[in-house]
Amino acid sequence: MRQIDALKSPRFTQVSTFARLPLCVEGEEVKAAFLGIPFDDAVTYRPGARFGSMGIRKGSRLLRPYNQFLDTYPFDKLNACDLGDVNVIPGYIMDTMKVIEESVYEVLTKRRLVPFIAGGDHSITLPVLRAMYEVYGKVNLVHLDSHYDFWDTYWGKKYTHGSWLRRALEEGLLKDVIQAGIRASTFSKEDLEDKRKLGIKSFTIRELKLRPEEVIKEVNSLDGPTYVSLDIDVVDPAFAPGTGTPEVGGLTSFEIIELIRAMRFKKLVGFDVVEVSPPYDLSELTTMLASNLIYEGMSVLSLNY
Ligand SMILES: [Mn+2]
């Protein structure tokens, strides 16, 4: 085990890395790494997701090396480490998007690892997808959320946490898109027509809850590089209260974990968990869940090795 087991040895100070993993070292062969993107200037309601990546690191301290449900040691198999945080620029959305795109591109070209990204609000996914496109070409997207996120603008502005998906589609970054968990009230009935026009396979929370196997079947039949973007608000606020735009009537923590565990990817290229806002959290419920979702995602990836 490469991990420093601070719980067993009183000689080591526990440091704030994801799951107490080592920090990534230049030149080391790594298949997956944790990466923080602490930016939340594109939210439309509650702020605080800029503290999500550090919150998720804190919430991950109890993760242990062996996943008995998938029979894997994800950290060992992936030689996982923590890359630290991207140097975002508070208050400057466009500049930050450029920094995120360049940082993720650099990580991907230098190391060819799979980043497990902790946001940040959902706007960070757009520059990450741009970097993915530069490296892999069009990628499939599995988008778990209570919101469509394909609105054209908010307050007349194109770059927000509710419009990143439309921008990604317009920019031609995406191949097949599967969305699931949608339940928020919308601005008008036309939003539903947009979903057909945009060519997205979209499952409401009702479809996901009643027939999860249909969603899993769609996800598992995706061919080619695939990116997963998980907005923590797909989970019910009873289980994940620490988020910016909560919507009632969502998944339980057990359901979202089982959903991730059932997924099999031919080529997973990236995975993010966004919209975790620790200031609105209670008893670390949300940050613990988010860290477990990254753990399950790493476990699924590790099955390919
Ligand atoms: Mn959302």
Side-chain angles (χ1 to χ4, degrees), residues 39-40 43 45-53 119-120 244 275-280:
F39 182 78
D40 71 358
V43 296
Y45 195 48
R46 295 169 172 178
R50 67 179 60 188
F51 301 114
S53 37
E275 300 284 344
V276 172
S277 177
Y280 287 94

Side-chain angles (χ1 to χ4, degrees), residues 122 145-147 149 231 233-234 245 275:
H122 221 150
D145 205 322
S146 68
H147 308 97
D149 283 5
D231 184 329
D233 69 31
V234 73
T245 38
E275 300 284 344

Side-chain angles (χ1 to χ4, degrees), residues 122 143-149 151 161-162 164 182 184 230-234 243 245-247 274-275:
H122 221 150
H143 173 211
L144 304 172
D145 205 322
S146 68
H147 308 97
Y148 287 118
D149 283 5
W151 284 287
H161 75 155
W164 63 273
I182 310 297
L230 193 162
D231 184 329
I232 199 69
D233 69 31
V234 73
T243 192
T245 38
E247 303 289 346
V274 294
E275 300 284 344

Side-chain angles (χ1 to χ4, degrees), residues 210-253:
L210 299 179
R211 294 183 295 281
E213 64 284 353
E214 278 183 26
V215 178
I216 289 160
K217 198 176 145 209
E218 288 287 346
V219 169
N220 292 356
S221 65
L222 288 171
D223 215 9
T226 300
Y227 185 89
V228 178
S229 185
L230 193 162
D231 184 329
I232 199 69
D233 69 31
V234 73
V235 179
D236 194 276
F239 298 86
T243 192
T245 38
E247 303 289 346
V248 298
L251 298 178
T252 66
S253 44

